[in-house]
Structures are given as structure tokens and as C-alpha cells.
Amino acid sequence: MGATDLAGHAARQDTTAGGPPLFIVANAGSGQHDLRQTRETLSRVFGEAGREFHFVDTDGPGSVVTVAQAGARYAREAGGVVVSVGGDGTTNAVAQAAWDAGCTMAVLPQGTFNLFGREHGIAQDLETAARALLRARAEPVQVGEVNGRIFLVNASLGLYPQLLQDREAFKRRFGRHRWVAILSGLVTLFEWRRQLALEIELDGQSTLLTTPTLFVGNNRLQLERIGMESAVAERVGEGRLAALIAKPIGTGTMVWLMLKGAFGRLGEAEQVHSFAFRTLTVRVLGMRKLKVAADGEVGVMAPPLRFTVASRPLQLMLPREEDLVPVE
């Protein structure tokens, strides 16, 4: 079959096998993977299987959202699946587009952490995950939402978004290395002095508090790894999100808490309060706008912020039982 242009973004590969067509959004900026090699691998796997597939290409990180929206639109019109090939940020963009369009999505992890894919038993090896996708089934999965923005893994405000933003700035300057991420984190911790004055409303009751950061999780794997209390983490994914709020603390204590989280013992720290919830409304006193991170992508929102389990689930292609990969 010949190549066909899809809205100027992609080349089409047509086949005759059954199964919904796949519209692939591959982010060249995710992790350290070569886009050409990624395309070659997926073309071989899907071509050998006789599956219809389309590449909806990005021109760089800035175009991921636009191209994800195009891929989701094509998938909805064709009764197909929009496929995210990238890290958690790319997956978030595709999930938002798929959720808005009401179409099914799939994930082929290619980033650094890939927490969403790992939690759902999706292989981290591209070819293995692609072969599992050919046999996968669509299942509903819970997603979080903050002021209309979908998140799969976490959302946050205060110190954590600043850590993410500074880390990306350091990586652009010094390269994508682990030591660069550690250095940027230490610099941010020692420079951060701001405490947020919040009014949080939970179950009809309002509480005033001061904190350097508020973290909301929708990924049980991440929460378990940092050591959040099991009674809280185990409710995530069952109609609940989890919140983590740090008490007002100095730089030294914040570094100590970060180390606690790295070693999976954050739940032991008395300086941290955590709880599960369905809906949490947050008003930020004295601020009209602030930075909010969702799955590693930082944006600006106007309070009040309403964190909630999304009104409907995301339809996600999940591996069959024999293709599930144990959590590492």
C-alpha cells in the first residue's frame, strides 16, 4: 500500500489484519531513544502482524500536545487507538487528548521513570510492549483531574513544580544525566524559602495551613516507593486520590525528607501528613496564579484548585495476563 499524508503530520502504513488501527504519537525528546530506531521497530512489529498503523509525528516537545490532539481525533473517527510512545509527560499529553476525545489510548513507555506504564504491567522494552499491544484489551482506569487538567501519576504545587522546572533548565544546560538532576534538586532546595498559605476544603470542612508543597498522587506504585502509609496508598485507584502535605520546615529538614522518600520511608516522618480523598479544594491565600505540575509538566493555574477523581475513566489498552510484566 502507498503512503498517505495525515494532516501534514504523518505517513500511513495500511494492512489487512483485524483489530483497531493504531495512531502513534512518538516524542523524539523522551529519554535517550532514537526516533528512527523506534519507528523501525514499531513498523516491523505491526507490519509483520498485519496491523494498520499510522505515525503522527512530533517536531519536538512543544508540538506534543497539538499532535496528540490530532492523533486522538484520528483514532476517534476511525474507531482506533491513539498510542503514546514516550515518557510520563508525553503519556499525559496523549491521555488528555484521548480523554477529551473519548477514544482509547495505549502506552509504549520510552521515558526515564514510566511510572504509569509500570503500574499497569506494561513492558519497558519497546518491542515487547508493542507485541503485547497487539493482544491487549481496552479497560477503564482511574485518572485524576485538577481544574480540568488530567493527570495519571501526580499533580503538585509549591516546591515540587519548582524542582521540576529547575531540573529541566539544568538538563538543557548540562545534559540529561542523573548527577545533573541531583545537583539541580539540591540547588532548588537550598534556594527555596517560600511557604504557601492554604485553605483546604475536605468533606465540607475547611482548614488553614502553611506548607512548602502539596503533592497529590494517583499512582499507587509511586506512593508505595516513597513509603506513604499503606492505608492511604492502597485506596488510590479505587475512587480515591492521595494527598501529601509537608509541615513548615527548614532546608535541612526538607533534604532529610527527600532522603526519606528516596529510601521508601517517607510515611515514618512526622513532618508529613497524608490522607486519601475523592475531592479536595485548595485556596491559596495571597496568590492569583501559581505553578502547578501534572505528570512532570509545569503550567500556571488560578486558584481555587479542585483536585478530584475524573468524572469518567480513561480507556486504556492493558496487556493480557500472560503479557503482564511484574513491577520492578
Side-chain angles (χ1 to χ4, degrees):
M1 302 260 180
T4 303
D5 186 63
L6 291 180
H9 287 294
R12 171 175 173 165
Q13 303 280 342
D14 284 317
T15 60
T16 58
L22 306 174
F23 296 85
I24 304 165
V25 178
N27 184 6
S30 293
Q32 300 179 359
H33 299 273
D34 180 75
L35 181 59
R36 184 174 64 178
Q37 182 179 358
T38 295
R39 288 179 62 122
E40 290 175 352
T41 298
L42 297 180
S43 295
R44 173 170 49 81
V45 171
F46 297 144
E48 289 175 354
R51 187 67 167 268
E52 180 183 349
F53 64 97
H54 315 256
F55 285 106
V56 188
D57 293 333
T58 67
D59 298 319
S63 67
V64 171
V65 172
T66 300
V67 178
Q69 291 169 346
R73 185 173 66 252
Y74 299 143
R76 180 189 61 199
E77 294 171 351
V81 177
V82 59
V83 183
S84 167
V85 183
D88 287 327
T90 303
T91 301
N92 175 272
V94 174
Q96 180 75 65
W99 194 83
D100 289 340
C103 69
T104 301
M105 77 167 288
V107 175
L108 299 178
Q110 285 280 276
T112 305
F113 300 108
N114 304 319
L115 290 165
F116 183 68
R118 290 179 191 274
E119 182 181 38
H120 292 288
I122 299 172
Q124 301 304 292
D125 175 72
L126 179 64
E127 182 167 343
T128 303
R131 294 191 183 282
L133 174 56
L134 292 169
R135 300 184 291 271
R137 297 175 177 175
E139 300 285 349
V141 299
Q142 173 181 297
V143 294
E145 183 179 354
V146 52
N147 288 23
R149 173 80 182 273
I150 293 298
F151 61 94
L152 306 174
V153 179
N154 61 58
S156 59
L157 55 110
L159 174 59
Y160 193 66
Q162 192 64 48
L163 282 168
L164 295 172
Q165 199 165 54
D166 290 348
R167 184 181 67 188
E168 288 307 306
F170 268 65
K171 286 182 177 180
R172 286 193 296 269
R173 184 176 180 182
F174 300 109
R176 304 185 72 86
H177 306 288
R178 185 176 295 274
W179 68 266
V180 173
I182 295 173
L183 176 62
S184 70
L186 290 174
V187 170
T188 304
L189 286 175
F190 281 99
E191 290 183 347
W192 184 265
R193 296 291 183 271
R194 181 177 300 168
Q195 300 287 329
L196 299 176
L198 306 180
E199 179 185 0
I200 63 172
E201 182 180 331
L202 178 66
D203 298 330
Q205 295 186 341
S206 295
T207 303
L208 293 174
L209 55 87
T210 302
T211 179
T213 193
L214 166 65
F215 180 93
V216 176
N218 183 53
N219 185 275
R220 188 180 299 180
L221 173 61
Q222 182 183 47
L223 298 175
E224 291 174 346
R225 284 186 173 182
I226 65 175
M228 181 174 279
E229 295 178 19
S230 58
V232 175
E234 289 174 359
R235 301 181 71 185
V236 173
E238 299 177 354
R240 295 288 192 280
L241 300 172
L244 185 153
I245 302 175
K247 297 178 180 179
I249 50 178
T251 300
T253 305
M254 180 60 74
V255 173
W256 179 76
L257 286 180
M258 291 292 184
L259 290 173
K260 278 272 192 179
F263 286 97
R265 300 177 62 183
L266 194 59
E268 301 174 1
E270 62 181 19
Q271 294 86 353
V272 175
H273 176 53
S274 62
F275 54 91
F277 68 91
R278 289 185 183 274
T279 299
L280 180 70
T281 301
V282 179
R283 296 175 177 83
V284 186
L285 306 184
M287 297 184 68
R288 294 183 177 180
K289 293 182 179 180
L290 76 163
K291 295 175 183 176
V292 178
D295 294 342
E297 302 298 313
V298 181
V300 176
M301 292 185 181
L305 305 175
R306 185 173 183 268
F307 296 90
T308 185
V309 175
S311 58
R312 53 186 168 82
L314 176 71
Q315 294 297 318
L316 179 69
M317 298 295 288
L318 294 179
R320 292 177 181 268
E321 186 173 355
E322 60 268 26
D323 293 325
L324 289 171
V325 175
V327 176
E328 299 173 1

